[in-house]
Amino acid sequence: MTVIKNRAFLKWAGGKYGLIEDINRVLPQTRRLIEPFVGAGSVFLNSDYDEYLLNDVNADLINLYKLLQSEPDEYIKQAGELFVPQYNDKDRYYDIRAKFNESTDTFERAVYFLYMNRHGYNGLCRYNLKGGYNVPFGRYKKPYFPEKELWLFAEKSQKATFTNLCFREIFKQAKSGDVVYCDPPYAPLSPTASFTSYSGQGFKLKDQQDLALMAEQTSQSGIPVVISNHDLALTRELYQQAKLEEIKVKRTISQKAGKRTKVGELLALY
C-alpha cells in the first residue's frame, strides 16, 4: 500500500520530505515529539504524536506558524492575494522584500515571508548580518500557492506549541514521555557549502558540539534523541556515543537538476 506523504507549504533548504520513511522508522512512538529545529515541519506533518513542541531560532518562521494556527482563514486569504501574475515580477518582489525588512507588523511580515519563500531564488531563506532578508528574485513562471498545504498545517498545528528559543532551552523542557528529533543546520561539506545563515546567525562548531553533548545527556535521562546531519568525519566523532545509521538522500540546493547528487547522511540515535 502506498503511503501518502504530506508536503510542507514552505520550500526549504535541507527539508526532510525525502527522509520521512527513514526518520519515522527510528523515532519511538511516545506521547510528545520535540523538534528544536522544526524548519518547514516535514517530520511534524508526517508523524502521529499526541502533542508537539516545535521550535526554531527563526522568529519569522515561528510567527507565521502561530498565525496560521490561530487565524488560518484571514492569513491564507491575504497570502493568496500576492500569488497573482502581477506580483510575479522582479520589481514587485524587491519592493515587498524592502517592506518586509522595514515592517514590525507580525501579520504583514508573515504574509510577505510566504510570498518571498515561493517567489525567491531556489526557496532559500537567508538574512544578512543586520537581520535583513536578502534572497534574490527567483524568476519562476508561475509560483505555486500552497493553499491545501497551508490548511493541512493549520489543522495539525492545533496539537502543537510553537517557540522561538535557543535549542539549549528546548532540551531543558524535555521530560519522560518525550522524544527529541533534531535537524540542525548541517555541518558544511566544504567551507563554501554552508546554509547556516537563515536565522541571521550562524550555527558554529561549538553549537554542533553542544547539541551532541545535550543529546547524550538527555538520553541518559531515558528520553530518546535522534539527530540528522551530513556523514562526515566530524559528525561521526561528535556522535560517537550514538548508534549511527547511514542513509543517502538527494539534495535540491543546486538549481541545475544534473548537479543534484546524492550525499551521505547520518541518523544518530541516542
Side-chain angles (χ1 to χ4, degrees):
M1 182 177 72
T2 301
V3 177
I4 298 175
K5 294 195 296 183
N6 299 311
R7 285 197 177 274
F9 66 84
L10 292 168
K11 299 167 74 173
W12 208 254
K16 289 295 169 289
Y17 183 80
L19 288 182
I20 290 302
E21 292 86 356
D22 293 290
I23 294 168
N24 280 337
R25 178 171 46 81
V26 301
L27 278 178
Q29 276 304 311
T30 58
R31 184 183 60 81
R32 182 174 70 161
L33 175 66
I34 298 177
E35 292 196 60
F37 312 88
V38 67
S42 288
V43 175
F44 159 61
L45 290 167
N46 291 281
S47 58
D48 187 18
Y49 291 85
D50 294 336
E51 295 179 39
Y52 295 85
L53 174 56
L54 305 177
N55 179 79
D56 204 279
V57 73
N58 187 318
D60 288 312
L61 182 70
I62 295 301
N63 171 54
L64 190 167
Y65 289 164
K66 286 182 175 180
L67 281 170
L68 193 54
Q69 181 185 50
S70 61
E71 303 177 56
D73 294 274
E74 188 60 27
Y75 177 79
I76 293 171
K77 174 180 176 292
Q78 290 199 31
E81 291 173 358
L82 296 181
F83 284 74
V84 291
Q86 57 263 43
Y87 279 96
N88 188 25
D89 172 82
K90 183 178 179 180
D91 291 338
R92 283 285 185 98
Y93 175 85
Y94 287 118
D95 180 53
I96 285 178
R97 192 180 76 174
K99 288 179 179 177
F100 172 86
N101 286 331
E102 294 168 3
S103 178
T104 58
D105 182 276
T106 54
F107 198 99
E108 183 178 52
R109 285 180 70 90
V111 169
Y112 289 163
F113 188 88
L114 177 60
Y115 166 83
M116 294 186 301
N117 175 263
R118 286 281 168 177
H119 290 75
Y121 178 77
N122 224 20
L124 293 177
C125 180
R126 188 182 65 202
Y127 299 77
N128 60 31
L129 293 176
K130 294 182 179 180
Y133 196 93
N134 65 357
V135 177
F137 183 57
R139 299 182 183 278
Y140 297 107
K141 287 184 178 178
K142 188 179 181 182
Y144 172 64
F145 179 56
E147 183 172 3
K148 180 184 74 171
E149 292 84 352
L150 284 162
W151 278 114
L152 176 71
F153 193 103
E155 181 180 353
K156 188 159 187 179
S157 70
Q158 303 309 309
K159 287 184 170 186
T161 298
F162 296 102
T163 57
N164 173 223
L165 300 168
C166 170
F167 72 90
R168 297 170 180 85
E169 295 301 313
I170 296 303
F171 267 92
K172 294 176 184 177
Q173 299 186 36
K175 57 184 185 292
S176 178
D178 291 339
V179 57
V180 184
Y181 170 65
C182 299
D183 181 27
Y186 276 19
L189 293 170
S190 70
T192 59
S194 179
F195 287 87
T196 59
S197 58
Y198 86 103
S199 66
Q201 50 192 306
F203 199 79
K204 301 176 177 62
L205 176 59
K206 178 66 164 58
D207 299 310
Q208 300 280 4
Q209 293 169 331
D210 286 354
L211 175 59
L213 179 61
M214 296 192 83
E216 183 181 351
Q217 292 173 340
T218 301
S219 69
Q220 290 171 353
S221 299
I223 303 164
V225 181
V226 178
I227 306 178
S228 301
N229 215 318
H230 280 141
D231 187 353
L232 304 170
L234 169 65
T235 51
R236 285 181 174 268
E237 180 182 353
L238 287 173
Y239 307 146
Q240 58 184 291
Q241 300 301 320
K243 175 186 175 184
L244 300 180
E245 289 207 10
E246 305 170 33
I247 50 179
K248 295 289 184 181
V249 63
K250 185 172 287 188
R251 278 279 164 248
T252 55
I253 293 299
S254 175
Q255 200 174 44
K256 295 182 179 178
K259 293 185 178 181
R260 295 177 184 176
T261 55
K262 291 193 175 185
V263 297
E265 293 211 13
L266 287 178
L267 284 176
L269 318 176
Y270 288 90

